[in-house]
Amino acid sequence: GAGVSQSPSNKVTEKGKDVELRCDPISGHTALYWYRQSLGQGLEFLIYFQGNSAPDKSGLPSDRFSAERTGGSVSTLTIQRTQQEDSAVYLCASSLDWGAGKYFGPGTRLTVT
Amino acid sequence: AQTVTQSQPEMSVQEAETVTLSCTYDTSESDYYLFWYKQPPSRQMILVIRQEAYKQQNATENRFSVNFQKAAKSFSLKISDSQLGDAAMYFCAYRRTDKLIFGTGTRLQVFP
């Protein structure tokens, strides 16, 4: 079936604005992850959803960041009052469960001007 | 805390030759997983190979193989018969429970 999809592919926003990034995981995958990849850096864990359990938010860098997952499928990552340091590629991944291999989406490149 | 270190920001290889990418990690755990991911310009992270720490045998996937040295906490990736399509960023990653911890990556260039 289709892989993990993310939208938009690219987003340019002004400092101080709110943005929403969307992730559609592979159908049937119960686990969903958000990572951030800053320029020239590895991937930084942000948040993890597993089924109906409370999400692991331990990687969120500040309270401006939040995420939700509706109906156990689509997830939205929201960044409020964006700052220039939020500029990065935001990658979503899903897996059948926490122990299975992760499939990544193509990412959203966020640029805050 | 677990850390993953990739000390080679860039590597290059001639087509059809072999190249080895280095990765070291730090952990106090005995049971964990290690991965190599490839990220081409399309940005999509692609799993190349995985290794379970309890397995002594090095994982192999076609032209890709690893040299896993558990005592030394080393996990290098060998790419044999390099192809132009192998050019990408390569990330080493560690997982014990669920979070993947990534290194900063190695950019591999392949020259014809």
Side-chain angles (χ1 to χ4, degrees), chain A residues 35-45 91 104, chain B residues 2-9 22-26 33-39 45 75 89-95 99-107:
Chain A
Y35 289 85
R36 177 169 71 174
Q37 185 177 26
S38 301
L39 186 64
Q41 300 296 313
L43 276 71
E44 173 191 12
F45 167 78
L91 289 159
F104 282 83
Chain B
Q2 295 88 9
T3 59
V4 178
T5 302
Q6 292 180 250
S7 58
Q8 305 155 316
S22 301
C23 173
T24 58
Y25 59 95
D26 186 27
Y33 295 83
L34 296 164
F35 304 83
W36 278 98
Y37 279 88
K38 170 185 177 181
Q39 187 181 39
M45 297 285 282
F75 182 62
M89 284 289 290
Y90 286 81
F91 292 94
C92 177
Y94 166 101
R95 192 196 89 202
K99 298 170 199 172
L100 278 175
I101 301 169
F102 287 86
T104 52
T106 297
R107 180 174 302 282

Side-chain angles (χ1 to χ4, degrees), chain A residues 9-10 22 30-31 35 38-39 45-46 67 77-78 83 85 87 91 106 109:
Chain A
S9 177
N10 290 281
R22 177 187 168 105
T30 61
Y35 289 85
S38 301
L39 186 64
F45 167 78
L46 295 177
L77 177 69
T78 301
Q83 304 295 311
E85 61 262 29
S87 296
L91 289 159
R109 182 179 297 282

Side-chain angles (χ1 to χ4, degrees), chain A residues 37-60:
Chain A
Q37 185 177 26
S38 301
L39 186 64
Q41 300 296 313
L43 276 71
E44 173 191 12
F45 167 78
L46 295 177
I47 189 170
Y48 157 58
F49 296 89
Q50 172 61 57
N52 296 321
S53 302
D56 178 349
K57 305 179 183 179
S58 60
L60 294 178

Side-chain angles (χ1 to χ4, degrees), chain B residues 16-85:
Chain B
E17 297 295 310
T18 295
V19 65
T20 299
L21 309 183
S22 301
C23 173
T24 58
Y25 59 95
D26 186 27
T27 183
S28 58
E29 304 296 339
S30 59
D31 186 20
Y32 48 87
Y33 295 83
L34 296 164
F35 304 83
W36 278 98
Y37 279 88
K38 170 185 177 181
Q39 187 181 39
S42 66
R43 295 200 306 245
Q44 192 127 15
M45 297 285 282
I46 302 164
L47 178 63
V48 174
I49 198 165
R50 61 179 268 170
Q51 174 82 43
E52 289 112 332
Y54 66 87
K55 289 188 177 178
Q56 292 184 334
Q57 186 172 8
N58 290 323
T60 298
E61 288 287 342
N62 301 314
R63 298 183 295 107
F64 298 86
S65 61
V66 299
N67 183 3
F68 174 46
Q69 301 290 328
K70 190 172 183 179
K73 296 177 184 174
S74 170
F75 182 62
S76 60
L77 174 70
K78 185 171 84 171
I79 306 174
S80 305
D81 186 25
S82 297
Q83 300 176 0
L84 294 177

